[in-house]
Amino acid sequence: MANEADDNTIYIGKKGTMAYVLAVVTQINNGAKEILIKARGRAISRAVDVSEIVKNKFVTDLKIAKIGISTEEIHPEEGNPLKVSAIEILLKK
Amino acid sequence: MANEADDNTIYIGKKGTMAYVLAVVTQINNGAKEILIKARGRAISRAVDVSEIVKNKFVTDLKIAKIGISTEEIHPEEGNPLKVSAIEILLKK
């Protein structure tokens, strides 16, 4: 799923869900036809919340075009590499 | 995605990730050709972890056949209905 929406990728982190909802809705209102939502670890649940809220409440003609899950390796500055699950959700108008 | 794997559905809850990994691997070793993993709310991240660990470490010929997300309404005994995000991950041999 790489490169499908490089310029319209939103990384879900530790902010409140509605901050990311607003970011997605803003990009769509600015003309984006697709948005790629990415998250790792515990933020995965929030990525699903963001996608569902945008689709159900704000942009009802939005479709969930693709969902992918994967495992990524993180290399912290100290200590051993960590494996963490990741999700990508591609939203399309 | 309903009814595709009724007898082989595993609901991810609050136990440790490896408890669910073991449940999935056991069902596959007992002959199941597909397993449907379901989770809601914060357990969504764990559902992704379980799928990735089973696929990468235990049953390497397993494929992620389908992933769906949705919003479910929960009706608590007291108080207002709550909306919660849900995920379904269909694993196939």
Side-chain angles (χ1 to χ4, degrees):
Chain A
M1 262 162 78
N3 300 317
E4 278 174 340
D6 274 350
D7 297 326
N8 293 317
T9 300
I10 292 185
Y11 294 89
I12 307 300
K14 294 183 175 180
K15 291 184 207 166
T17 301
M18 292 313 289
Y20 301 106
V21 169
L22 181 64
V24 174
V25 171
T26 301
Q27 290 218 18
I28 291 168
N29 287 343
N30 287 341
K33 296 292 176 208
E34 55 182 56
I35 303 279
L36 184 62
I37 292 179
K38 289 188 175 198
R40 297 199 287 205
R42 288 193 195 174
I44 289 173
S45 307
R46 189 170 300 127
V48 174
D49 286 341
V50 170
S51 306
E52 285 292 308
I53 291 168
V54 171
K55 181 172 68 79
N56 293 335
K57 297 213 173 150
F58 293 95
V59 191
T60 49
D61 59 342
L62 203 68
K63 298 270 183 301
I64 291 165
K66 208 166 172 183
I67 305 173
I69 61 174
S70 60
T71 301
E72 297 184 0
E73 200 161 270
I74 297 177
H75 297 267
E77 290 191 23
E78 292 183 34
N80 294 322
L82 295 170
K83 287 192 176 176
V84 63
S85 298
I87 197 166
E88 292 189 2
I89 302 171
L90 182 65
L91 304 175
K92 274 196 189 180
K93 279 208 87 162
Chain B
M1 262 161 75
N3 299 319
E4 278 175 339
D6 273 351
D7 297 325
N8 294 317
T9 299
I10 291 184
Y11 294 90
I12 307 299
K14 294 183 175 178
K15 291 184 208 167
T17 302
M18 292 313 289
Y20 301 106
V21 169
L22 182 64
V24 174
V25 172
T26 301
Q27 289 217 20
I28 291 167
N29 287 343
N30 287 341
K33 296 293 177 207
E34 54 182 58
I35 303 279
L36 185 62
I37 291 179
K38 289 189 174 197
R40 296 199 289 205
R42 289 194 195 174
I44 288 173
S45 306
R46 189 170 300 126
V48 174
D49 286 341
V50 170
S51 306
E52 285 291 307
I53 292 169
V54 171
K55 181 171 68 78
N56 294 335
K57 296 214 173 150
F58 292 96
V59 190
T60 49
D61 58 344
L62 203 68
K63 298 270 184 302
I64 291 165
K66 208 166 172 183
I67 305 173
I69 63 175
S70 60
T71 302
E72 296 184 359
E73 200 160 89
I74 296 178
H75 297 269
E77 289 190 23
E78 292 183 34
N80 294 321
L82 296 170
K83 287 193 176 176
V84 63
S85 298
I87 196 166
E88 294 189 0
I89 303 171
L90 182 64
L91 304 174
K92 274 197 187 178
K93 279 210 84 164

